[in-house]
Amino acid sequence: MSELIDKALKRPNLAVEIAGIKLRNPVMPASGTFGYGEEYAPFLDLEKIGAIVTKGLSLKPKAGNPTPRIAETTSGMLNAIGLQNVGIDAFVQHKMPFLRTVNTPVIANFFGNTLEEYGEVAKRLNDIPEIAAVELNISCPNVKQGGIVFGTDPKAASEVVTLVRKYLQKPLIVKLTPNVTDITVVARAVEEAGADAIACINTLTGMSVDIHTRKPRIANCTGGLSGPAIRPVAVRMVHQVVQTVSVPVIGIGGIVTPMDALEFLIVGARAIQVGTANFVDPTAMLTIIDGIEQFCIDEGIDDIHQLIGSLKF
Amino acid sequence: MLMRHSLIRESKQIMKNYRTKIISNQEISPGYFRMKVLAPGFGENAHPGQFVMFRVQRSLPPLLRRPFGIFRTGFLPADCDGLPPVEFVEIVYKVVGSGTSIMAELHQGDRVELLGPLGNGFDCTSRQGEKILVGGGIGLVPLYMLAGELIENGCSVRLLMGGRSRDDIFAVTEFERLGVETYISTDDGTLGEEGLVTQVLERKLQKYPAAEVYSCGPMAMLNAVHNICLEHNTPLQVSLEESMACGVGACLGCVVKGAGHTEEKPSYLCSCKVGPVFKSQYLDWSALAQNNSDCGGCA
Ligand SMILES: Cc1cc2nc3c(=O)[nH]c(=O)nc-3n(C[C@H](O)[C@H](O)[C@H](O)COP(=O)(O)OP(=O)(O)OC[C@H]3O[C@@H](n4cnc5c(N)ncnc54)[C@H](O)[C@@H]3O)c2cc1C
Ligand SMILES: Cc1cc2nc3c(=O)[nH]c(=O)nc-3n(C[C@H](O)[C@H](O)[C@H](O)COP(=O)(O)O)c2cc1C
Ligand code: FES
């Protein structure tokens, strides 16, 4: 009897490893929805989440797109921020000092305008010791050179990953766009080029019109759709990528509740990222972590790896 | 980014996510509601001009939280001896779409969430002098706490209240109880003077040329107020209402163009973090006016 109680009380192991970095649990924010970490520090303990993922960084500061940049749609939102960011120098000077005080791995998301720039940023990030891993964005739909050209063409994707790999000793996560006919082709290409892990998905290109003004609701005309509306598409794509590659996959897209996160884990995501849900509830990630743990307890699972990829056909 | 430090005043920012309950939710004028929400400890951190991100209901949709200005904070009198008084934050909102329609149906005891106090409010450190507050419709909301603080500081405060009709004018007696002199104008003349609030502002500035102006309301009104103040060389602070997703500076969806913005040297200011209140000289008014003509006529 007491053994049963013991077992019931024992907390399941939620720790996972992605590309050589150890995460206390598989839950982290999605790039661009969590600032540089500091913005959300008043609302949740950053040492409870698996990792911190920064806003996409570039070599030079980037001003971003004209406004309006966001619009809510049914169970989702469109955004065309245009990768506004402080640039790598200001990041090191103003954002890293705070991140250094937090005992949680930092994953730096980045992008370039040209192939050379991707290489240059990779070199710079490689020199920052406190950065645990980098996430290469070849998938932003909102800027002309924001990576999507690299992300939709398997040859270009392979080229940029090969180049970045040359400059980078740190673990390399490559983030893929869903705006392709077959995501597995690009996934295979970046794995072969040296990606240590794959994150998917970025936003789906969408559009919404104000019927009174008959103008697009965001200035950029089209924007990236995120939030619960995209989740079934994301689950399907994560499933396909998991079936295709052997490197770990990080599942992203419309995760709001613990149940949503579990879907991704069951299809085989080693970790998950929470994006738009942070805006809805700044403590969403904590609720998701607690919910995953409770689910494991309820299901008699003592290690999360028993859950990952446990999809039954 | 460089301007940020000079724009944000030093203030202790203690923001919290309150998982809380509605104390009351009443229609005060057709389409306008006042909602009191239980929020212990909120008041001591809240400055005039700050706002909250309000989660309309636990279930989705609507997905995103909605931003609302803080009307006031305070304590309900304890209803029986020995119980401490309960602290509340009060918002005033106008029903304009899906989120505010759901809010209008909420009752005492319903669970809601609010994040706040957020943003950079009015600079009201000034200890004396003439202050003119210009509020259009729902733009009156952040001016109540501001008026209270300015009066406490020893300033003399005049409030110009504008609206399309009498329905858009609220809380007149409450403002007056603070010691504010109020002037009402409506487009259709159903209350106060017939015409635009900016006409009244012109007159007041002739009479009080040394006054400082604070304003919140529809963009067209703010733009007119800005032009008048520019002409009179009058310092002006405005509170903007940009669409927001996060309210805490993380998504960069709420930016406005700063003064001197060009294609080559862009300047975007985060309106939830640097704002929602800006000194008018820091803004690119031609861009703001342009965006206004794009808008479906929100008030
Ligand atoms: C800092 C700040 C303070 C605010 N304070 C108040 C307040 O005290 N009281 C109040 O009633 N409203 C206030 N607003 C506006 C309020 O946030 C919107 O009216 C609300 O989000 C509309 O939600 P909805 O779901 O009902 O409308 P939606 O269905 O989202 O939209 C319906 C209509 O409202 C317009 N709208 C949507 N968002 C905004 C916005 N942010 N500003 C102006 N128009 C908008 C849309 O263009 C559309 O025409 C404030 C906004 C900001 C940014
Ligand atoms: C406002 C906003 C900004 C984003 N910025 C970035 C970015 O800078 N880099 C990036 O790789 N992805 C960015 N994304 C995409 C998210 O990281 C994520 O892939 C996507 O939103 C889907 O997840 P979600 O449905 O949980 O939001 C952004 C998304 C949003 C909503
Ligand atoms: S609303 Fe997200 S940055 Fe201002």
Side-chain angles (χ1 to χ4, degrees), chain B residues 199-215:
Chain B
Q199 288 166 204
V200 191
L201 176 63
E202 281 276 15
R203 284 206 309 270
K204 294 294 160 204
L205 280 179
Q206 311 249 311
K207 203 162 161 198
Y208 307 102
E212 283 182 55
V213 177
Y214 303 77
S215 188

PDB file of all heavy atoms in Angstrom, chain B residues 199-215:
ATOM      1  N   GLN B 199     -12.777  73.472 -30.416  1.00  0.00           N
ATOM      2  CA  GLN B 199     -13.162  74.898 -30.390  1.00  0.00           C
ATOM      3  C   GLN B 199     -12.966  75.450 -28.995  1.00  0.00           C
ATOM      4  O   GLN B 199     -12.466  76.550 -28.804  1.00  0.00           O
ATOM      5  CB  GLN B 199     -14.650  75.064 -30.710  1.00  0.00           C
ATOM      6  CG  GLN B 199     -15.040  74.827 -32.122  1.00  0.00           C
ATOM      7  CD  GLN B 199     -16.559  74.674 -32.254  1.00  0.00           C
ATOM      8  OE1 GLN B 199     -17.005  74.064 -33.182  1.00  0.00           O
ATOM      9  NE2 GLN B 199     -17.348  75.209 -31.301  1.00  0.00           N
ATOM     10  N   VAL B 200     -13.414  74.646 -28.017  1.00  0.00           N
ATOM     11  CA  VAL B 200     -13.307  75.072 -26.625  1.00  0.00           C
ATOM     12  C   VAL B 200     -11.833  75.209 -26.248  1.00  0.00           C
ATOM     13  O   VAL B 200     -11.426  76.161 -25.590  1.00  0.00           O
ATOM     14  CB  VAL B 200     -14.023  74.073 -25.675  1.00  0.00           C
ATOM     15  CG1 VAL B 200     -14.145  74.644 -24.280  1.00  0.00           C
ATOM     16  CG2 VAL B 200     -15.383  73.681 -26.227  1.00  0.00           C
ATOM     17  N   LEU B 201     -11.038  74.260 -26.723  1.00  0.00           N
ATOM     18  CA  LEU B 201      -9.604  74.293 -26.414  1.00  0.00           C
ATOM     19  C   LEU B 201      -8.969  75.584 -26.936  1.00  0.00           C
ATOM     20  O   LEU B 201      -8.189  76.236 -26.229  1.00  0.00           O
ATOM     21  CB  LEU B 201      -8.905  73.069 -27.013  1.00  0.00           C
ATOM     22  CG  LEU B 201      -7.388  73.023 -26.840  1.00  0.00           C
ATOM     23  CD1 LEU B 201      -7.007  72.944 -25.357  1.00  0.00           C
ATOM     24  CD2 LEU B 201      -6.769  71.845 -27.584  1.00  0.00           C
ATOM     25  N   GLU B 202      -9.305  75.979 -28.166  1.00  0.00           N
ATOM     26  CA  GLU B 202      -8.794  77.232 -28.745  1.00  0.00           C
ATOM     27  C   GLU B 202      -9.062  78.394 -27.790  1.00  0.00           C
ATOM     28  O   GLU B 202      -8.156  79.162 -27.469  1.00  0.00           O
ATOM     29  CB  GLU B 202      -9.501  77.522 -30.084  1.00  0.00           C
ATOM     30  CG  GLU B 202      -8.980  76.722 -31.260  1.00  0.00           C
ATOM     31  CD  GLU B 202      -7.753  77.350 -31.915  1.00  0.00           C
ATOM     32  OE1 GLU B 202      -7.130  78.242 -31.288  1.00  0.00           O
ATOM     33  OE2 GLU B 202      -7.411  76.919 -33.041  1.00  0.00           O
ATOM     34  N   ARG B 203     -10.299  78.474 -27.344  1.00  0.00           N
ATOM     35  CA  ARG B 203     -10.694  79.592 -26.456  1.00  0.00           C
ATOM     36  C   ARG B 203      -9.908  79.559 -25.156  1.00  0.00           C
ATOM     37  O   ARG B 203      -9.406  80.568 -24.682  1.00  0.00           O
ATOM     38  CB  ARG B 203     -12.187  79.497 -26.147  1.00  0.00           C
ATOM     39  CG  ARG B 203     -13.090  79.923 -27.268  1.00  0.00           C
ATOM     40  CD  ARG B 203     -14.434  80.402 -26.731  1.00  0.00           C
ATOM     41  NE  ARG B 203     -15.076  79.473 -25.806  1.00  0.00           N
ATOM     42  CZ  ARG B 203     -15.919  78.517 -26.195  1.00  0.00           C
ATOM     43  NH1 ARG B 203     -16.213  78.344 -27.462  1.00  0.00           N
ATOM     44  NH2 ARG B 203     -16.471  77.726 -25.296  1.00  0.00           N
ATOM     45  N   LYS B 204      -9.800  78.362 -24.572  1.00  0.00           N
ATOM     46  CA  LYS B 204      -9.130  78.245 -23.274  1.00  0.00           C
ATOM     47  C   LYS B 204      -7.649  78.600 -23.384  1.00  0.00           C
ATOM     48  O   LYS B 204      -7.077  79.195 -22.478  1.00  0.00           O
ATOM     49  CB  LYS B 204      -9.275  76.823 -22.701  1.00  0.00           C
ATOM     50  CG  LYS B 204     -10.692  76.447 -22.332  1.00  0.00           C
ATOM     51  CD  LYS B 204     -11.219  77.267 -21.181  1.00  0.00           C
ATOM     52  CE  LYS B 204     -12.740  77.214 -21.178  1.00  0.00           C
ATOM     53  NZ  LYS B 204     -13.371  78.359 -20.510  1.00  0.00           N
ATOM     54  N   LEU B 205      -7.061  78.226 -24.507  1.00  0.00           N
ATOM     55  CA  LEU B 205      -5.625  78.509 -24.646  1.00  0.00           C
ATOM     56  C   LEU B 205      -5.370  80.007 -24.840  1.00  0.00           C
ATOM     57  O   LEU B 205      -4.311  80.513 -24.464  1.00  0.00           O
ATOM     58  CB  LEU B 205      -5.018  77.700 -25.795  1.00  0.00           C
ATOM     59  CG  LEU B 205      -4.691  76.243 -25.466  1.00  0.00           C
ATOM     60  CD1 LEU B 205      -4.126  75.519 -26.677  1.00  0.00           C
ATOM     61  CD2 LEU B 205      -3.714  76.136 -24.298  1.00  0.00           C
ATOM     62  N   GLN B 206      -6.344  80.705 -25.416  1.00  0.00           N
ATOM     63  CA  GLN B 206      -6.210  82.162 -25.524  1.00  0.00           C
ATOM     64  C   GLN B 206      -6.222  82.761 -24.118  1.00  0.00           C
ATOM     65  O   GLN B 206      -5.477  83.674 -23.798  1.00  0.00           O
ATOM     66  CB  GLN B 206      -7.392  82.743 -26.298  1.00  0.00           C
ATOM     67  CG  GLN B 206      -7.667  82.013 -27.590  1.00  0.00           C
ATOM     68  CD  GLN B 206      -7.353  82.843 -28.802  1.00  0.00           C
ATOM     69  OE1 GLN B 206      -7.758  83.976 -28.894  1.00  0.00           O
ATOM     70  NE2 GLN B 206      -6.621  82.274 -29.740  1.00  0.00           N
ATOM     71  N   LYS B 207      -7.086  82.189 -23.279  1.00  0.00           N
ATOM     72  CA  LYS B 207      -7.263  82.730 -21.938  1.00  0.00           C
ATOM     73  C   LYS B 207      -6.124  82.302 -21.007  1.00  0.00           C
ATOM     74  O   LYS B 207      -5.713  83.059 -20.136  1.00  0.00           O
ATOM     75  CB  LYS B 207      -8.603  82.223 -21.388  1.00  0.00           C
ATOM     76  CG  LYS B 207      -9.169  83.103 -20.308  1.00  0.00           C
ATOM     77  CD  LYS B 207     -10.649  82.831 -20.101  1.00  0.00           C
ATOM     78  CE  LYS B 207     -11.089  83.343 -18.750  1.00  0.00           C
ATOM     79  NZ  LYS B 207     -12.353  82.747 -18.327  1.00  0.00           N
ATOM     80  N   TYR B 208      -5.646  81.069 -21.190  1.00  0.00           N
ATOM     81  CA  TYR B 208      -4.577  80.548 -20.320  1.00  0.00           C
ATOM     82  C   TYR B 208      -3.383  80.142 -21.176  1.00  0.00           C
ATOM     83  O   TYR B 208      -3.121  78.947 -21.368  1.00  0.00           O
ATOM     84  CB  TYR B 208      -5.077  79.342 -19.512  1.00  0.00           C
ATOM     85  CG  TYR B 208      -6.331  79.607 -18.741  1.00  0.00           C
ATOM     86  CD1 TYR B 208      -7.556  79.145 -19.204  1.00  0.00           C
ATOM     87  CD2 TYR B 208      -6.288  80.335 -17.543  1.00  0.00           C
ATOM     88  CE1 TYR B 208      -8.719  79.400 -18.500  1.00  0.00           C
ATOM     89  CE2 TYR B 208      -7.457  80.593 -16.842  1.00  0.00           C
ATOM     90  CZ  TYR B 208      -8.667  80.126 -17.329  1.00  0.00           C
ATOM     91  OH  TYR B 208      -9.813  80.382 -16.639  1.00  0.00           O
ATOM     92  N   PRO B 209      -2.652  81.114 -21.689  1.00  0.00           N
ATOM     93  CA  PRO B 209      -1.591  80.778 -22.655  1.00  0.00           C
ATOM     94  C   PRO B 209      -0.461  79.941 -22.057  1.00  0.00           C
ATOM     95  O   PRO B 209       0.287  79.299 -22.797  1.00  0.00           O
ATOM     96  CB  PRO B 209      -1.082  82.150 -23.113  1.00  0.00           C
ATOM     97  CG  PRO B 209      -1.591  83.133 -22.125  1.00  0.00           C
ATOM     98  CD  PRO B 209      -2.782  82.553 -21.462  1.00  0.00           C
ATOM     99  N   ALA B 210      -0.343  79.925 -20.739  1.00  0.00           N
ATOM    100  CA  ALA B 210       0.766  79.166 -20.140  1.00  0.00           C
ATOM    101  C   ALA B 210       0.361  77.746 -19.755  1.00  0.00           C
ATOM    102  O   ALA B 210       1.126  77.024 -19.121  1.00  0.00           O
ATOM    103  CB  ALA B 210       1.300  79.905 -18.927  1.00  0.00           C
ATOM    104  N   ALA B 211      -0.860  77.341 -20.128  1.00  0.00           N
ATOM    105  CA  ALA B 211      -1.367  76.032 -19.695  1.00  0.00           C
ATOM    106  C   ALA B 211      -0.612  74.884 -20.354  1.00  0.00           C
ATOM    107  O   ALA B 211       0.010  75.037 -21.403  1.00  0.00           O
ATOM    108  CB  ALA B 211      -2.844  75.930 -20.029  1.00  0.00           C
ATOM    109  N   GLU B 212      -0.659  73.727 -19.688  1.00  0.00           N
ATOM    110  CA  GLU B 212      -0.187  72.487 -20.303  1.00  0.00           C
ATOM    111  C   GLU B 212      -1.410  71.640 -20.621  1.00  0.00           C
ATOM    112  O   GLU B 212      -2.380  71.652 -19.873  1.00  0.00           O
ATOM    113  CB  GLU B 212       0.698  71.714 -19.329  1.00  0.00           C
ATOM    114  CG  GLU B 212       2.096  72.274 -19.198  1.00  0.00           C
ATOM    115  CD  GLU B 212       2.932  71.435 -18.249  1.00  0.00           C
ATOM    116  OE1 GLU B 212       3.035  70.216 -18.471  1.00  0.00           O
ATOM    117  OE2 GLU B 212       3.448  72.013 -17.271  1.00  0.00           O
ATOM    118  N   VAL B 213      -1.325  70.875 -21.729  1.00  0.00           N
ATOM    119  CA  VAL B 213      -2.491  70.110 -22.166  1.00  0.00           C
ATOM    120  C   VAL B 213      -2.208  68.606 -22.119  1.00  0.00           C
ATOM    121  O   VAL B 213      -1.099  68.161 -22.424  1.00  0.00           O
ATOM    122  CB  VAL B 213      -2.922  70.546 -23.591  1.00  0.00           C
ATOM    123  CG1 VAL B 213      -4.089  69.716 -24.088  1.00  0.00           C
ATOM    124  CG2 VAL B 213      -3.285  72.027 -23.606  1.00  0.00           C
ATOM    125  N   TYR B 214      -3.227  67.855 -21.693  1.00  0.00           N
ATOM    126  CA  TYR B 214      -3.178  66.389 -21.658  1.00  0.00           C
ATOM    127  C   TYR B 214      -4.412  65.895 -22.393  1.00  0.00           C
ATOM    128  O   TYR B 214      -5.502  66.387 -22.143  1.00  0.00           O
ATOM    129  CB  TYR B 214      -3.258  65.876 -20.210  1.00  0.00           C
ATOM    130  CG  TYR B 214      -2.195  66.415 -19.287  1.00  0.00           C
ATOM    131  CD1 TYR B 214      -2.290  67.713 -18.775  1.00  0.00           C
ATOM    132  CD2 TYR B 214      -1.124  65.623 -18.891  1.00  0.00           C
ATOM    133  CE1 TYR B 214      -1.323  68.210 -17.907  1.00  0.00           C
ATOM    134  CE2 TYR B 214      -0.158  66.102 -18.018  1.00  0.00           C
ATOM    135  CZ  TYR B 214      -0.261  67.397 -17.532  1.00  0.00           C
ATOM    136  OH  TYR B 214       0.687  67.886 -16.680  1.00  0.00           O
ATOM    137  N   SER B 215      -4.259  64.892 -23.263  1.00  0.00           N
ATOM    138  CA  SER B 215      -5.427  64.516 -24.044  1.00  0.00           C
ATOM    139  C   SER B 215      -5.498  63.030 -24.369  1.00  0.00           C
ATOM    140  O   SER B 215      -4.480  62.354 -24.513  1.00  0.00           O
ATOM    141  CB  SER B 215      -5.429  65.329 -25.346  1.00  0.00           C
ATOM    142  OG  SER B 215      -6.629  65.115 -26.039  1.00  0.00           O
TER     143      SER B 215
END
